[in-house]
Amino acid sequence: MTLSPSTSAVVIGASGGIGQALVSRLVASEAYAPIFALARSQPSGLQGVRTQAIDLGDEASIAAAAARVGEAGPVGLVIVATGILHQDGVSPEKTVKALDPAAMAAVFSINTIGPALIAKHFVPLLARTGRCVFAALSARVGSIEDNRLGGWYAYRASKAALNQILKTLAIEVARSRPEAIVVGLHPGTVASNLSRPFRPDPNAEGVLQPDESAGHLLRVLGTLDVQDTGGVFAWDGTRVPA
């Protein structure tokens, strides 16, 4: 997945299961230097990377992290590996009666507004010539066309909104960086804290381990070209409907 020579890679959400796995695989690939692992709490146990605290709910924190990354030169890859499905006071709604404005705001803050602010401050760091990538973890349930089960209002809507932001961003970025690729990524059902309450058996059929998912996602990114910018792609390479 080598892009422009001497470009860095940035993983936001590097303390999560998929984020850590992405960082580890990027280090092993030796395709980028340096590699930045950014998270709300300082990532630990990651070798060969530069760490930095970042809070998606605090734009000043995002701007400060971007400034530090920018000191290392042009960026070839940014992956936003953050997301929220449940936490204290937040859980997927089974019915419209369960909607809570505070919970919805929390979900949109992390799943939609946070990645948008990451784009605001990190896209200007992308290399202006050569292939570069800005990607964010989305979800198949964010597809409006593919919604056949209903439920999960806030999560679905936040990911659908993220997909629209990525599409709009792709159009804008193409004007200044014609070889750039902006995409959403569906990582599959991964054995992580996000999915554990809904898929408690990490060895169940169809559940990927974080390292498996990370490997698939990086492989998919390596196959995309500028014609794919603005789309959302699953871990197996298939395009997720809008």
Side-chain angles (χ1 to χ4, degrees):
M1 254 191 80
T2 304
L3 306 182
S4 302
S6 302
T7 57
S8 61
V10 183
V11 177
I12 295 102
S15 62
I18 298 176
Q20 288 190 52
L22 286 167
V23 171
S24 295
R25 281 189 170 263
L26 287 170
V27 170
S29 75
E30 299 183 344
Y32 307 91
I35 294 170
F36 290 89
L38 312 184
R40 186 170 183 177
S41 57
Q42 287 279 9
S44 60
L46 298 176
Q47 303 298 318
V49 302
R50 301 184 188 181
T51 62
Q52 174 79 21
I54 191 170
D55 183 350
L56 266 66
D58 179 0
E59 186 175 3
S61 165
I62 296 171
R68 185 190 174 206
V69 170
E71 293 172 354
V75 176
L77 174 66
V78 176
I79 303 180
V80 185
T82 56
I84 176 178
L85 175 58
H86 62 88
Q87 64 177 26
D88 292 343
V90 176
S91 60
E93 312 90 349
K94 295 180 180 179
T95 171
V96 70
K97 295 178 181 179
L99 288 178
D100 175 81
M104 291 188 74
V107 172
F108 270 81
S109 176
I110 299 300
N111 291 351
T112 310
I113 299 172
L117 292 176
I118 292 291
K120 175 182 176 180
H121 292 280
F122 280 80
V123 162
L125 306 180
L126 292 175
R128 286 188 170 272
T129 59
R131 185 179 185 274
C132 56
V133 176
F134 182 95
L137 293 192
S138 186
R140 185 174 293 278
V141 297
S143 167
I144 295 173
E145 181 180 339
D146 195 50
N147 183 358
R148 294 177 176 82
L149 296 177
W152 292 31
Y153 283 86
Y155 188 73
R156 286 184 186 276
S158 68
K159 292 298 188 178
L162 171 63
N163 295 346
Q164 180 66 280
I165 285 172
L166 293 172
K167 175 64 176 180
T168 305
L169 179 66
I171 294 169
E172 178 180 348
V173 169
R175 297 171 185 145
S176 60
R177 294 166 173 79
E179 296 179 74
I181 300 168
V182 178
V183 292
L185 296 171
H186 168 52
T189 301
V190 181
S192 65
N193 289 334
L194 185 142
S195 67
R196 187 166 293 118
F198 313 98
R199 295 291 180 88
D201 182 359
N203 299 311
E205 183 178 357
V207 176
L208 301 174
Q209 297 303 309
D211 184 65
E212 288 181 279
S213 177
H216 288 309
L217 295 177
L218 291 176
R219 175 185 56 79
V220 169
L221 288 180
T223 66
L224 301 179
D225 57 34
V226 291
Q227 283 73 35
D228 299 309
T229 192
V232 179
F233 295 86
W235 62 272
D236 60 0
T238 59
R239 183 183 285 266
V240 176

